[in-house]
Amino acid sequence: MPHSASDASPAGGTARAPRTLRHLIAGTWQPGDGAEIVDTNPARPGETVAVGQLAREHDLDRAVTAAREAFPKWAATPHPVRGRILHRTADVLDAHAEQWGEELAWEEGKTRAEGIAEVRRAADIFRYYAGEALRPVGEVFASSRAGEQIQVIRRPVGVVAVVTPFNFPIAIPAWKIAPALGYGNVVVWKPASAVPLLALRLAEALVEAGLPEGVLSLLISGGALGGRLAEHPGVDAVTFTGSTAIGRGLIASCGRLARPIQTEMGGKNAAVVLASADQDLAAAEVVAGAFRSTGQKCTATSRLVVEDSVADEFLDLLTKRVADLRVGDPLEERTEMGPVVSLQARDEIQQAVDAGAARPGVELLTGGRPYDDDRATGAFLRPTVVELAGDDELWREELFGPVLAVRRARDARHAFDLVNDSEFGLSAAVFTDDFRAVSQAVDEVDVGILHINSETAGAEPHVPFGGAKHSGYGPKEQGRAALEFFTRTKTVYLRASGGDR
């Protein structure tokens, strides 16, 4: 049984038959004819989760053609009717939350409890956008001319390319696909090839809910096909979540094509613990923010700033909590942190930690060493905390894993300066009971999402989500903000003919 970061090990799991992967193209489930894809369990990489063959260029052309053919009828479908399909999708997701959440943990590595919660979160997102069908989707303005009314109405943009990452394999697609479909668009979706099974499950839920043929196509393939999808002449808009490097490439491509694009990219999110903070609360929230989902969240806490007067006491409390985390098989009930998504990711993160630990001014507080028990064969990393004497790559580069870099600050002003000293600006957290510090943080911390006395991770579906600086580009996601990307306005000057002029 997994017990702690130092002595846990993955338990042997019950044998499961590999699932068969399929693509959804033009309303038909079909196998691919590209290279073989083998989806493996990161806790036990020799265990196969799903198998299939990748989609190819001709599949992309067929999917986009089907989407363009389906668009006029779907756009003309009354919004409340579209909303009922989204609501039924939410019901299907809820009904399968236990099974699909366990498959998510098996495939991606987050704990079973987190996997189930993610499927239910996807259901909540679909239910929210089902409710949007009964909200206003336009405005009426007064005209300066007598007898005239000005209407601003919203229309869907058309064919939307959706490209999603591995770390939230059903929730992130949900918060793109649900508003896209709800507002009358059609979707061609390319998920991360590391997590194809949960993509298949979401597409199955939509089909079961009665989504018409061609309105959604699912193409399981490598990253190159995602780039070609974004540039396809039949696509009208692109929404992407993933790495900053790939996002910038897509932004450049869409710029050349004058094509709208929405991106959510990297983060190097900081938590600030000031002298006035409740230390127990702050320690619990920082651990949750940094190590839930094995740190594989764009909103994960990867930097920590502690006011110097309480730093020794707080870091002692924090490192004890981190060292006690139970690391092991994500399907075991007592596990608190599973593996990262792949052996390659494990090795790259470990190499970055090793290189950092060898540099002057970097002190390893806990973790950092590879496992030497049976976890060594899986994609497991020790939850790691390092303290930095000054600037360092570990402070600036997004590792996307369970590594927390710490620096000390003289006071609140210095702390907020350290938070802002980053090219990223997605999320931040400030722990304090000082109202003046809260007000200062709200005014000065340059991020898209700010938490006061709670972890950096987490987002509600009814409010905007997205970052500042290089963490995002284009309109925000979720909530009513989604309307700005997935629709465009038409201004109508409405005046009766005849009569006095």
Side-chain angles (χ1 to χ4, degrees):
M1 272 287 185
H3 176 64
S4 72
S6 60
D7 63 11
S9 61
T14 303
R16 294 173 171 83
R19 307 325 192 228
T20 300
L21 299 172
R22 301 174 296 167
H23 310 276
L24 179 63
I25 303 172
T28 303
W29 290 108
Q30 53 197 265
D33 60 359
E36 184 181 36
I37 179 172
V38 180
D39 181 19
T40 59
N41 175 2
R44 291 182 293 277
E47 183 177 289
T48 300
V49 173
V51 293
Q53 290 179 283
L54 298 176
R56 297 171 62 192
E57 190 90 29
H58 64 89
D59 298 311
L60 171 58
D61 290 336
R62 289 174 52 228
V64 173
T65 297
R68 296 215 70 84
E69 291 174 351
F71 173 62
K73 185 175 181 180
W74 180 246
T77 300
H79 198 168
V81 175
R82 298 194 301 260
R84 286 197 288 272
I85 293 175
L86 300 189
H87 202 287
R88 289 196 295 269
T89 302
D91 291 342
V92 174
L93 290 167
D94 274 334
H96 291 85
E98 296 278 336
Q99 175 197 341
W100 292 355
E102 186 165 299
E103 287 181 338
L104 195 160
W106 184 33
E107 174 179 58
E108 190 265 350
K110 58 170 56 85
T111 66
R112 181 178 182 275
E114 289 176 306
I116 293 169
E118 183 177 335
V119 177
R120 290 184 173 144
R121 180 181 177 186
D124 289 342
I125 293 165
F126 272 91
R127 202 164 279 120
Y128 172 83
Y129 284 106
E132 282 292 284
L134 303 179
R135 293 180 181 272
V137 290
E139 299 172 289
V140 177
F141 293 86
S143 172
S144 60
R145 295 182 292 192
E148 184 175 69
Q149 181 187 83
I150 305 173
Q151 298 179 351
V152 178
I153 60 177
R154 289 189 175 269
R155 291 289 182 260
V157 298
V159 178
V160 177
V162 174
V163 182
T164 55
F166 76 84
N167 59 321
F168 283 90
I170 200 164
I172 289 177
W175 80 46
K176 294 176 184 294
I177 291 171
L181 297 179
Y183 293 129
N185 301 282
V186 292
V187 168
V188 180
W189 174 28
K190 208 294 291 182
S193 58
V195 287
L197 180 55
L198 266 292
L200 175 67
R201 295 308 189 209
L202 179 54
E204 287 176 341
L206 283 157
V207 171
E208 185 175 338
L211 193 70
E213 293 182 1
V215 173
L216 172 81
S217 285
L218 167 68
L219 301 172
I220 298 169
S221 193
L225 194 73
R228 289 195 286 274
L229 169 60
E231 296 183 359
H232 196 285
V235 165
D236 297 299
V238 179
T239 177
F240 165 83
T241 297
S243 74
T244 300
I246 294 175
R248 286 173 176 169
L250 293 178
I251 291 167
S253 296
C254 289
R256 290 193 300 271
L257 297 167
R259 179 168 297 168
I261 183 168
Q262 169 194 67
T263 69
E264 195 277 295
M265 300 183 286
K268 192 69 176 174
N269 312 293
V272 173
V273 179
L274 298 177
S276 58
D278 178 327
Q279 290 202 14
D280 285 327
L281 170 67
E285 293 293 313
V286 170
V287 170
F291 301 110
R292 279 183 185 161
S293 299
T294 323
Q296 296 176 125
K297 295 180 180 178
C298 54
T299 53
T301 305
S302 55
R303 296 187 296 154
L304 172 64
V305 182
V306 187
E307 193 166 356
D308 192 59
S309 62
V310 296
D312 289 340
E313 179 184 359
F314 181 76
L315 292 177
D316 183 60
L317 174 63
L318 177 74
T319 53
K320 286 177 180 176
R321 287 177 179 253
V322 173
D324 285 340
L325 287 171
R326 298 185 180 96
V327 179
D329 188 332
L331 296 176
E332 290 286 347
E333 285 297 323
R334 297 177 68 233
T335 294
E336 295 173 297
M337 193 182 95
V340 291
V341 71
S342 67
L343 295 178
Q344 179 181 347
R346 177 202 67 182
D347 293 345
E348 290 174 352
I349 295 166
Q350 185 65 58
Q351 287 165 13
V353 172
D354 291 345
R359 291 192 291 268
V362 178
E363 180 185 358
L364 193 62
L365 300 184
T366 189
R369 297 177 292 106
Y371 284 111
D372 56 7
D373 54 22
D374 51 354
R375 284 171 293 190
T377 61
F380 292 96
L381 288 162
R382 294 182 193 271
T384 296
V385 181
V386 295
E387 184 172 356
L388 310 177
D391 196 14
D392 189 85
E393 289 180 27
L394 294 174
W395 188 252
R396 299 199 172 275
E397 300 298 324
E398 184 181 33
L399 297 184
F400 222 64
V403 180
L404 179 64
V406 182
R407 290 178 70 177
R408 301 183 184 220
R410 296 182 299 275
D411 51 27
R413 165 70 63 189
H414 185 209
F416 299 153
D417 286 344
L418 288 173
V419 173
N420 288 335
D421 184 24
S422 173
E423 67 173 324
F424 300 113
L426 180 53
S427 183
V430 176
F431 295 89
T432 181
D433 287 334
D434 183 341
F435 178 78
R436 288 173 298 178
V438 171
S439 180
Q440 185 180 356
V442 171
D443 286 343
E444 297 179 9
V445 175
D446 190 9
V447 292
I449 304 163
L450 178 64
H451 295 260
I452 304 298
N453 294 321
S454 62
E455 61 170 295
T456 58
E460 298 284 342
H462 56 285
V463 292
F465 177 89
K469 298 191 278 190
H470 290 170
S471 286
Y473 181 88
K476 296 291 191 290
E477 299 188 273
Q478 301 205 80
R480 293 285 287 174
L483 195 67
E484 296 303 317
F485 182 72
F486 291 109
T487 66
R488 54 184 169 219
T489 60
K490 179 184 291 185
T491 302
V492 179
Y493 291 83
L494 185 61
R495 188 179 186 188
S497 61
D500 295 335
R501 296 177 183 265

